[in-house]
Amino acid sequence: MLTLLEQLDKGTQWRLTGGIHPPQMKDLSNGSPIGRLPLASEFLLPVPQVGDSAVLEVKVGDRVLKGQALTHGLSAMYLAVHAPTSGIIRAIEQRPSNHPSALPVLTCVLEADGQDQAIDFDQQDIAALSREQILSRIRQAGIAGLGGAMFPAHIKLNPASEIELLLINGVECEPYISADDRLMREHAREILDGIEIVHGLLNPKRVIIAIEDNKPEAIQAMQQALDSCHLPKGSIRITVIPTKYPSGGEKQLIQIITGQEVPSGAIPAQLGIVVHNVGTAFAIREAVCLGKPLIERVVTVTGGNIPKPGNYWVPLGTPIAHILEQSGFTASGQDTVIIGGPMMGYTLPLIKVPLLKGSNCVLVPSASEISPPAEEKACIRCGECAQVCPASLLPQQLYWHSKAEEYDKASAYNLRDCIECGCCSYVCPSDIPLVEYYRIAKAAIKHSHEEKQLAEQAKQRFDARLKRLEAEKLAREAKAKAAADKRRAAMGSGEKDAVAEAMARIKAKKAAEASVAATTSPIEKAADTADSAVIQPKADKRKSDVAAAIARARAKKAAAQGTVPTKEVVDATTDNAAEGTTSGSDKKAQIAAAIARAKAKKAAAASGQTETDTGKTQDAQARATQATADDNGGEHTQANEASQAVSNDSKQARIAAAVAKAKAKKAAAAEPVESPATYDNGVGSAQTAEVNQSSSQATKQAAGDNSKQARIAAAVAKAKAKKAAAAEPVESPATYDNGVGSAQTAEVNQSSSQATKQAAGDDSKQARIAAAVAKAKAKKAAASKSAPATDVEGGAAQGAEVNQVASQAAKQAAGDDSKQASIAAAAAKAKAKKAAAASEQPQDNGAANTPVSAESRPPSESTTATEPTFAESTPPNDSKQARIARAVAKAKQKAKEKALSAQEKD
């Protein structure tokens, strides 16, 4: 069996599947040599690759020369565009394209200057150029396949596989076209030079020049040139093939020469075969040897409506209208202009479009040469289209799917293998433009494929972005972890120990606080709470001034007597001064101040001085009372302020009351009864003022909002009353001032009546309280009348006992609620004062009966009598008030008994 090369040497040929034999009509143009047409005044140079794979190197207004490059690109599919003549770039804009759709494309509009001035072409000896230099010159010249496909020549000349066969296509099977025929006749030597260049690049084993048998002149010219060729003998030959359309197609020619079929979707280079057109070989020679770019080509201008048909060298970019005009054609509205042959060409909607590199023919047929467009009829399924298809396809099925826009099914029938030769349309009896349907379907499939590619690229970019973000995230986490490890490694053992020790100290501190809180005794908590509740007055300026004045008076008296040490006097003064300014926040300081005041009182009482001037004592008492009843709210305001600062814990209040009661009893037992001769009036007055001030403060404290405050206030009042009774001197009847007694009696009566009136002003409970108070007063008056008038000491003891009973009554009243305690405290205070005055009443009836007017009273008494008490707005409980009345009566009886026993002892 002969090998492929041996079959080629023998000239063996294979039959072409399908094909037709249309009229040739080549004699209209091949009878005359290739001519030249005059230059057009304007050239249209499309630059569709600009913005995609190329950039413009000129701008509007630039002057360019013939052969000057207008674009520059680096991509593999880039085709350079050159100026076909010299002139000025007048515009770079969208112009109609040389396409059946006439869609606009970016175009450089060159205005020719008529000089046709060219650049200096770089001529080179082929032997001095390397393979890479040859390919570069071909690429820079912008050479493309001139057979009609316009595929970049430099890509075909640099295949990836080994090439065994080089086919030079000179068949030119399309009717009317004779450009290659005339080119082979006139430039056979140049064509063979180009073949030699391609042979040097591909180094094939065989070179076949295929020419159709209807071109005898071209065959002869090529054979003559072949005899003088420098290629090795036996490696190149001319093969004449029978005339049949479309035997000039690339795949069809391969099948005829080699008997092989190019697989679907494959290229001839995969079979080791490369096919070039004779016009392409001629252009390669011009570019490599002469340095001339592809700026013109041979174009067949023919047809029944062309007065001067022929072949012409036409610069690329020449308007079709100019070519027709120079060929003697007069355009009319019904003429058909076809670019290419009648089988594979397309009709132009406009003639003001440029000539392209793949445009080898301009056909303007007459009415007798081409029939008018016939009406499309239904397919009769004759099958003629399938018989003439050179690609062995099924045109009928392709037509149905293309018409129904079922492009996927059309692709399944290998639509892309269609070469659009037009044989099916030529033989169709239904006049169906099958090729047009296939072209539309191909364009739609191409567009869809491009969209899928863009979507896939977008997806790839998105996936790459996600991977990048994930990698960045992992890198950040790793960096943070490494930094943390580095810090831990850099931290010394000393720093770690310091942190641990700090944590241990914090835990120990918390544990100690918890243990202290747990071990604190209830009594201490109650005492602290009581102290803080009692000593929480507002920081009032008037109250501070009163406390300071009292402290100064006490200090002066103690210094005058000389019985109190200087240190104690200073302490007492300081404590009294601080009492009005202390905010109540420091409990220990308040307790210390209270202890200091108690010491000062004891020292003053134990000095052994007697009161000789009753009038001075009464004046001092009045001044103290007036200082106590200040202008900004009186006792009621201070009691309300104190009540706001007291807590609600009754247990703590009871504890505080018990402590106060114990202290009062201790003070009463330790202080002796002073004689009238040794009692100092100044000290007695200050002491009396102090007792009244303390009683007033205790009464204020009893005005709180709950039972706790009441019990605390009652306990304080009781303790102070006992202390006052113990320190009260025994006065003789001779030295007693009747006016003072009358004033005290009036003051007590006025205070008692006012308290009773206020208590009775709200409801029936208050009325019952008032009745009980009145009853107690009556009993007290009767007891005072029956007591011996000469027993002064007994009277003093009785007065002290009455004060104690009043304090107990106040304490009893404070045990339940704040309102009842306030009323009871006021009543007890009034009764105590009245009882003391009654026990000290002199024997002089005239003096005793002397009335004391409001004008003759001290200012403090008048103010106190007219001041509203702190119990005015507090309704009592009737059962509690009854108990208070019984307690008062019982106290009176005990007082009388004690007075009698005291007289008997004396």
Side-chain angles (χ1 to χ4, degrees), residues 27-32 300-312 327:
D27 52 354
L28 293 174
S29 59
N30 64 1
S32 60
T300 300
V301 181
T302 186
N305 289 336
I306 298 296
K308 296 185 296 182
N311 294 281
Y312 302 95
S327 300

Side-chain angles (χ1 to χ4, degrees), residues 473-491:
K473 180 181 178 182
L474 295 176
R476 289 194 300 270
E477 292 177 354
K479 185 177 180 181
K481 184 178 179 181
D485 294 341
K486 185 177 180 180
R487 287 194 298 270
R488 284 194 294 268
M491 183 183 294

Side-chain angles (χ1 to χ4, degrees), residues 403-713:
K403 186 175 182 179
E405 296 184 358
E406 297 174 350
Y407 301 131
D408 293 339
K409 294 181 179 180
S411 298
Y413 281 93
N414 301 317
L415 176 62
R416 61 179 178 177
D417 289 336
C418 175
I419 64 174
E420 302 178 15
C421 63
C423 293
C424 54
S425 298
Y426 182 81
V427 299
C428 182
S430 298
D431 296 325
I432 300 173
L434 296 173
V435 176
E436 299 300 327
Y437 282 107
Y438 303 155
R439 286 174 178 171
I440 293 172
K442 282 184 176 181
I445 293 172
K446 181 180 179 181
H447 180 69
S448 176
H449 181 66
E450 290 175 352
E451 287 184 346
K452 289 181 180 179
Q453 284 184 337
L454 292 176
E456 183 63 25
Q457 292 174 0
K459 183 177 181 300
Q460 292 176 358
R461 291 194 300 270
F462 180 75
D463 294 341
R465 178 179 176 273
L466 291 181
K467 292 181 180 179
R468 186 182 72 253
L469 294 177
E470 185 66 21
E472 291 176 355
K473 180 181 178 182
L474 295 176
R476 289 194 300 270
E477 292 177 354
K479 185 177 180 181
K481 184 178 179 181
D485 294 341
K486 185 177 180 180
R487 287 194 298 270
R488 284 194 294 268
M491 183 183 294
S493 59
E495 296 179 358
K496 295 180 181 178
D497 295 341
V499 172
E501 291 174 359
M503 295 298 294
R505 286 196 298 272
I506 293 173
K507 291 181 179 179
K509 185 177 180 181
K510 290 182 179 180
E513 292 177 353
S515 62
V516 169
T519 56
T520 302
S521 64
I523 296 177
E524 292 178 355
K525 292 182 179 179
D528 293 342
T529 305
D531 291 338
S532 63
V534 173
I535 310 174
Q536 288 289 336
K538 231 178 179 181
D540 185 61
K541 183 178 180 181
R542 292 180 178 272
K543 191 171 180 181
S544 301
D545 295 341
V546 171
I550 293 172
R552 287 195 297 272
R554 290 170 57 193
K556 288 180 180 179
K557 290 176 186 178
Q561 294 296 327
T563 58
V564 181
T566 304
K567 184 177 183 300
E568 292 185 5
V569 172
V570 172
D571 293 340
T573 305
T574 305
D575 294 336
N576 280 279
E579 183 180 3
T581 59
T582 303
S583 62
S585 61
D586 192 350
K587 297 180 180 179
K588 295 181 179 180
Q590 293 164 0
I591 294 172
I595 294 173
R597 287 195 297 272
K599 290 180 179 180
K601 291 176 183 178
K602 287 182 180 181
S607 61
Q609 300 297 328
T610 59
E611 181 179 2
T612 58
D613 192 355
T614 307
K616 292 181 180 180
T617 304
Q618 189 66 30
D619 292 338
Q621 182 178 3
R623 285 193 299 271
T625 304
Q626 183 178 6
T628 304
D630 55 16
D631 297 334
N632 193 18
E635 292 179 355
H636 179 59
T637 303
Q638 294 177 3
N640 288 336
E641 292 175 354
S643 65
Q644 295 176 359
V646 179
S647 64
N648 295 323
D649 191 355
S650 59
K651 180 178 178 181
Q652 296 175 355
R654 288 194 296 270
I655 295 173
V659 173
K661 182 177 179 181
K663 289 181 179 180
K665 288 181 179 180
K666 185 177 180 180
E671 293 179 4
V673 179
E674 302 292 338
S675 64
T678 61
Y679 188 80
D680 183 67
N681 291 330
V683 175
S685 300
Q687 200 169 21
T688 304
E690 180 183 356
V691 170
N692 291 336
Q693 177 71 14
S694 301
S695 177
S696 175
Q697 290 179 356
T699 305
K700 295 175 188 177
Q701 294 297 333
D705 295 330
N706 51 46
S707 60
K708 176 184 175 181
Q709 298 172 358
R711 287 192 290 272
I712 294 173

Side-chain angles (χ1 to χ4, degrees), residues 286-300:
E286 293 285 308
V288 174
C289 297
L290 303 179
K292 184 179 179 180
L294 181 59
I295 56 177
E296 61 181 2
R297 68 158 299 156
V298 178
V299 179
T300 300

Side-chain angles (χ1 to χ4, degrees), residues 251-435:
K251 293 183 179 181
Q252 285 69 38
L253 182 59
I254 292 173
Q255 184 179 1
I256 293 172
I257 298 299
T258 64
Q260 297 179 357
E261 292 186 9
V262 179
S264 176
I267 59 175
Q270 294 177 348
L271 299 178
I273 302 172
V274 172
V275 181
H276 276 290
N277 186 266
V278 292
T280 305
F282 177 84
I284 290 173
R285 185 258 178 188
E286 293 285 308
V288 174
C289 297
L290 303 179
K292 184 179 179 180
L294 181 59
I295 56 177
E296 61 181 2
R297 68 158 299 156
V298 178
V299 179
T300 300
V301 181
T302 186
N305 289 336
I306 298 296
K308 296 185 296 182
N311 294 281
Y312 302 95
W313 286 103
V314 182
L316 301 178
T318 302
I320 300 299
H322 175 75
I323 296 173
L324 296 177
E325 180 182 357
Q326 296 299 321
S327 300
F329 172 73
T330 301
S332 62
Q334 298 180 352
D335 293 328
T336 300
V337 178
I338 299 173
I339 298 298
M343 299 300 294
M344 298 186 68
Y346 52 89
T347 302
L348 287 178
L350 300 172
I351 60 174
K352 292 183 178 180
V353 295
L355 182 73
L356 303 178
K357 295 178 180 181
S359 302
N360 56 357
C361 179
V362 179
L363 175 61
V364 186
S366 62
S368 60
E369 293 175 326
I370 185 170
S371 61
E375 182 182 358
E376 180 181 344
K377 295 179 285 294
C379 176
I380 62 174
R381 302 186 181 183
C382 62
E384 289 293 331
C385 56
Q387 293 180 6
V388 299
C389 179
S392 301
L393 300 176
L394 297 174
Q396 185 179 353
Q397 280 73 15
L398 294 175
Y399 159 69
W400 291 337
H401 295 312
S402 299
K403 186 175 182 179
E405 296 184 358
E406 297 174 350
Y407 301 131
D408 293 339
K409 294 181 179 180
S411 298
Y413 281 93
N414 301 317
L415 176 62
R416 61 179 178 177
D417 289 336
C418 175
I419 64 174
E420 302 178 15
C421 63
C423 293
C424 54
S425 298
Y426 182 81
V427 299
C428 182
S430 298
D431 296 325
I432 300 173
L434 296 173
V435 176

